[in-house]
Amino acid sequence: MTSASPSSKKIVLITGCSSGIGFATADVLANAGHTVYATARRTESVAQLETWAQPFAGRAIVEQLDVTDIASIERVVERIQSEQGRIDCVVNNAGYGQAGPVEEVSLDAWRKQFETNLFGVAAVTQRVLPMMRSQRSGRVINVSSVVAHLSLPMMGPYCASKHALDAMSLALRVELAPYHVDVVMIEPGPIETEFRPNVDHNLESKGDENSPYKRLGDAMDSYWNRSFGKTAAKPIAVARAIQKAVESKRPKTRYRITAPAKFAPHLVSHLPDRLLDRIIHWQLKLK
Ligand SMILES: NC(=O)c1ccc[n+]([C@@H]2O[C@H](COP(=O)([O-])OP(=O)(O)OC[C@H]3O[C@@H](n4cnc5c(N)ncnc54)[C@H](OP(=O)(O)O)[C@@H]3O)[C@@H](O)[C@H]2O)c1
């Protein structure tokens, strides 16, 4: 693992560190010598992270932060401001997948998806940007997904939230260029984390027995079961890409992790829509 030289040590805020990519990123960055504010929304996650943080002797600071709770964002950023006087990177990682057919997912569930995956990112970013702009340096690192470039059936709310995150990040990149604040997209394909089990947990409906979407829901389930494990990477692969985004003098605008994340966006931009639909039908083994 690369160690950061004293001059390259960064102050990094990360959301959603209770598991998966967020936890792996906090661990990789703290081990590389950076000062990490590792945040989680649940009290029991905060307690677990505090045990993890002990060996880092003050360079891993654990805080409670729910990206849908402005007061918690305010409290954590104020703490960073008073303890460090600066913030170099924010890793907007917190997120989850709301599945279900577009027609059947309740509007409340749609709104919650966007509250976390988009407005949560906007809220955290808005709070750190005044510091970054006045420093004339900083990095906003948004954990997006390959599904920012394509949409999967029965995953409409999640895919829409990541498309929207991509659009917001593109606007932000140009807005922040005069202030030397970079905006980086992290685009993983399938990663072995709590994400997949939580997709099932958040599922309101995959089409009950009488639903017109029952067959599609079953087809998507067996597609995931067949394919996820074949291409999935470990969260450390994403954490290492985030480490590059933190440490590089000139970070890339996008880091794509796993083979599907690398080829799918090209496929989508080059193939006609109806051919893509046919490929999805074929992958799902639907006639
Ligand atoms: N795994 C994949 O295949 C994959 C692929 C592409 C992109 N991603 C993206 O990667 C990011 C991390 O997901 P993961 O795969 O590491 O899944 P994960 O293990 O389920 O981790 C998600 C994290 O987000 C947190 N979170 C959810 N809502 C939050 C909120 N309102 N405030 C603060 N934290 C919140 C979760 O906290 P709790 O423990 O409290 O729920 C958890 O710490 C997400 O943005 C996801 O969309 C994942």
Side-chain angles (χ1 to χ4, degrees), residues 72-91:
S72 73
I73 298 170
E74 190 62 34
R75 185 174 37 73
V76 174
V77 178
E78 264 176 21
R79 180 175 178 186
I80 299 174
Q81 204 155 14
S82 77
E83 288 179 356
Q84 310 292 341
R86 62 182 291 110
I87 180 165
D88 298 306
C89 304
V90 61
V91 181

Side-chain angles (χ1 to χ4, degrees), residues 15-23 39-42 45 65-69 92-97 115-117 120 143-147 158 161-162 165 186-198 224 228 232-233 235 238:
T15 63
C17 294
S18 69
S19 63
I21 294 168
F23 177 71
T39 66
R41 66 172 161 175
R42 288 178 290 120
S45 310
L65 188 155
D66 181 330
V67 299
T68 64
D69 172 11
N92 285 308
N93 164 74
Y96 71 95
E115 282 297 339
T116 299
N117 290 14
V143 181
S144 178
S145 167
V146 61
V147 303
Y158 178 63
S161 74
K162 293 298 187 182
L165 177 61
I186 303 294
E187 299 182 351
I191 308 295
E192 288 167 17
T193 65
E194 295 308 308
F195 180 84
R196 261 298 291 152
N198 285 340
W224 283 121
F228 196 87
V238 186

Side-chain angles (χ1 to χ4, degrees), residues 31-264:
N31 273 300
H34 301 291
T35 298
V36 174
Y37 285 77
T39 66
R41 66 172 161 175
R42 288 178 290 120
T43 327
E44 59 270 31
S45 310
V46 170
Q48 282 168 358
L49 280 170
E50 270 162 359
T51 309
W52 157 81
Q54 276 167 10
F56 296 107
R59 273 191 311 94
I61 299 105
V62 178
E63 268 287 358
Q64 189 276 334
L65 188 155
D66 181 330
V67 299
T68 64
D69 172 11
I70 296 284
S72 73
I73 298 170
E74 190 62 34
R75 185 174 37 73
V76 174
V77 178
E78 264 176 21
R79 180 175 178 186
I80 299 174
Q81 204 155 14
S82 77
E83 288 179 356
Q84 310 292 341
R86 62 182 291 110
I87 180 165
D88 298 306
C89 304
V90 61
V91 181
N92 285 308
N93 164 74
Y96 71 95
Q98 176 62 58
V102 169
E103 184 181 340
E104 293 182 359
V105 173
S106 69
L107 285 180
D108 187 39
W110 270 96
R111 288 191 183 103
K112 281 190 181 138
Q113 177 74 109
F114 274 69
E115 282 297 339
T116 299
N117 290 14
L118 186 70
F119 307 145
V121 175
V124 173
T125 305
Q126 285 183 344
R127 186 57 188 82
V128 299
L129 282 184
M131 279 166 86
M132 290 183 175
R133 278 191 304 96
S134 71
Q135 293 163 194
R136 300 216 150 236
S137 73
R139 238 157 244 190
V140 177
I141 301 171
N142 290 338
V143 181
S144 178
S145 167
V146 61
V147 303
H149 304 285
L150 58 107
S151 252
L152 299 172
M154 311 299 281
M155 287 295 282
Y158 178 63
C159 297
S161 74
K162 293 298 187 182
H163 274 68
L165 177 61
D166 194 68
M168 184 176 83
S169 306
L170 294 190
L172 198 57
R173 199 166 74 221
V174 177
E175 289 166 7
L176 294 177
Y179 303 97
H180 309 286
V181 175
D182 297 301
V183 179
V184 177
M185 303 299 288
I186 303 294
E187 299 182 351
I191 308 295
E192 288 167 17
T193 65
E194 295 308 308
F195 180 84
R196 261 298 291 152
N198 285 340
V199 165
D200 291 336
H201 181 71
N202 289 316
L203 196 61
E204 286 191 324
S205 148
K206 50 175 127 173
D208 64 23
E209 286 309 315
N210 301 318
S211 163
Y213 303 102
K214 165 92 177 102
R215 198 169 142 251
L216 188 56
D218 290 347
M220 260 316 267
D221 266 357
S222 48
Y223 169 72
W224 283 121
N225 295 337
R226 276 195 315 275
S227 72
F228 196 87
K230 283 189 199 153
T231 48
K234 305 269 182 219
I236 183 85
V238 186
R240 291 209 175 104
I242 295 174
Q243 183 184 10
K244 282 186 193 149
V246 166
E247 294 179 352
S248 298
K249 274 209 173 108
R250 192 161 187 271
K252 296 200 279 189
T253 53
R254 296 176 191 275
Y255 290 81
R256 291 180 168 150
I257 303 102
T258 74
K262 285 179 184 156
F263 73 72

